[in-house]
Amino acid sequence: MAVLTKRLSILIILMFLVLPVFAEPSIYDLISDMPQDRVNEFLSGETIEMYSLDGEYVPSIAMEGSMGKSKAKKDYEKEDAFTLGLATFIEYPADWNGLTFEEKKLEIINTFLSISTIKGITYISHSSGEKPKVLFSDAYTLVDKDSKKEAYDVEFSYAPVSYKYQVAAYLKDSIFGGNKYLVDYDISESEIFMTITNYSDLKFLLFKAVPKGELNMCVDAVMTKEGIAIFALATVYGQESTIETPFGSIHLPSAFMKRITSLKNWFIQEINK
């Protein structure tokens, strides 16, 4: 009996050694910095928005301890940049109920990697009577950043605990035309952080609107016990908020809020398929 008890004790210890020590955080532990009057909106699935140019503290709506919050703070403090962000919270899809944490994480990673599915995403055009319009008419992964050749979307076969990865992509935009972007992925235990940086100048009506490398658009997904917290951020460096040309003007904060809103909607749509 003593030998059996000893073996059982060793088995229990070994089980604890091989079990992952990480546990999903609760969403309620990640929103301590969020303005109290926005918490209920956020938790009910509404999208809350903030603009640094309006004097709003954009990092306050990012999840505590997240990569999204860290980047939002860093960019917010830059004197020659402006930021805008949004946050929302969604429950895991119903058909994920039987999935393990790692399987859910893999679904999120591969959703972010599916660049080609960005093609056709829409935004709501206020000037056209609140009608949806296509924002990105084409989207695909490139062989590499200096190539124009289309490649298959990358797909992971397992969810790494921690990993950094980069792909190049082509996005054809309704305002800025076709451009190359670098897409960086930073994966941690419970977070998948996607950053899109322009690898070519963004032009508006043939005029340079945002030079190469001066735009970041990020989408951050933090896994919690209750669901997925989504934070999206756009930062423009060294530019005025409005670009004026002889043929028209464009308000960059509004333009990029449309884009990160569409990227957020794309992510939600794809994981619910």
Side-chain angles (χ1 to χ4, degrees):
M1 178 65 77
V3 173
L4 182 61
T5 302
K6 185 177 180 181
R7 287 179 177 173
L8 185 60
S9 298
I10 292 171
L11 180 60
I12 291 171
I13 291 170
L14 288 173
M15 286 175 63
F16 277 104
L17 287 175
V18 299
L19 284 173
V21 296
F22 175 75
E24 294 166 273
S26 171
I27 185 60
Y28 300 99
D29 296 329
L30 303 179
I31 54 175
S32 59
D33 199 28
M34 187 174 290
Q36 285 302 303
D37 61 343
R38 311 303 297 273
V39 169
N40 287 338
E41 293 175 66
F42 171 77
L43 292 175
S44 65
E46 294 182 44
T47 299
I48 54 178
E49 301 177 355
M50 285 191 176
Y51 297 82
S52 65
L53 291 174
D54 291 342
E56 296 174 309
Y57 187 56
V58 177
S60 69
I61 59 174
M63 299 307 101
E64 202 63 47
S66 68
M67 289 179 274
K69 193 176 193 75
S70 177
K71 177 163 176 55
K73 283 182 174 179
K74 185 188 301 182
D75 288 352
Y76 185 85
E77 291 165 2
K78 289 183 180 293
E79 293 184 1
D80 63 340
F82 62 84
T83 61
L84 46 119
L86 62 82
T88 191
F89 181 73
I90 61 169
E91 295 181 352
Y92 293 113
D95 59 359
W96 286 21
N97 288 340
L99 300 185
T100 64
F101 173 82
E102 288 73 21
E103 288 170 335
K104 292 175 185 176
K105 186 176 179 180
L106 182 61
E107 290 284 344
I108 294 171
I109 292 169
N110 283 333
T111 296
F112 276 136
L113 286 166
S114 60
I115 299 295
S116 65
T117 61
I118 294 176
K119 180 179 179 178
I121 65 173
T122 61
Y123 69 99
I124 299 301
S125 173
H126 304 302
S127 61
S128 299
E130 307 301 311
K131 293 180 180 178
K133 285 195 168 186
V134 172
L135 180 58
F136 291 108
S137 59
D138 205 359
Y140 50 82
T141 303
L142 295 167
V143 170
D144 61 59
K145 63 184 180 181
D146 297 316
S147 170
K148 295 181 179 179
K149 188 175 179 182
E150 182 175 352
Y152 290 109
D153 287 334
V154 178
E155 187 173 60
F156 284 13
S157 58
Y158 71 97
V161 174
S162 177
Y163 197 65
K164 292 180 185 289
Y165 191 71
Q166 184 184 83
V167 300
Y170 173 84
L171 302 176
K172 189 173 183 181
D173 187 302
S174 61
I175 296 295
F176 301 111
N179 294 282
K180 288 182 181 180
Y181 294 84
L182 297 181
V183 188
D184 289 279
Y185 302 91
D186 202 336
I187 300 167
S188 71
E189 289 174 325
S190 63
E191 181 180 7
I192 301 90
F193 186 53
M194 174 187 187
T195 305
I196 303 172
T197 305
N198 63 316
Y199 192 63
S200 54
D201 295 337
L202 302 185
K203 295 183 178 180
F204 173 66
L205 298 176
L206 303 180
F207 291 84
K208 186 187 295 186
V210 182
K212 174 183 175 180
E214 297 295 287
L215 165 71
N216 279 162
M217 294 186 293
C218 310
V219 185
D220 193 20
V222 178
M223 301 175 67
T224 74
K225 294 175 183 176
E226 299 83 5
I228 306 171
I230 302 168
F231 172 69
L233 176 76
T235 303
V236 180
Y237 307 95
Q239 301 296 307
E240 296 295 328
S241 61
T242 300
I243 303 297
E244 301 281 358
T245 79
F247 309 105
S249 64
I250 181 171
H251 185 243
L252 294 180
S254 298
F256 291 121
M257 181 58 82
K258 287 187 179 79
R259 280 149 186 77
I260 62 172
T261 298
S262 292
L263 288 170
K264 177 263 297 181
N265 291 340
W266 157 74
F267 171 74
I268 294 173
Q269 173 184 295
E270 289 301 307
I271 66 168
N272 279 290
K273 278 188 174 179

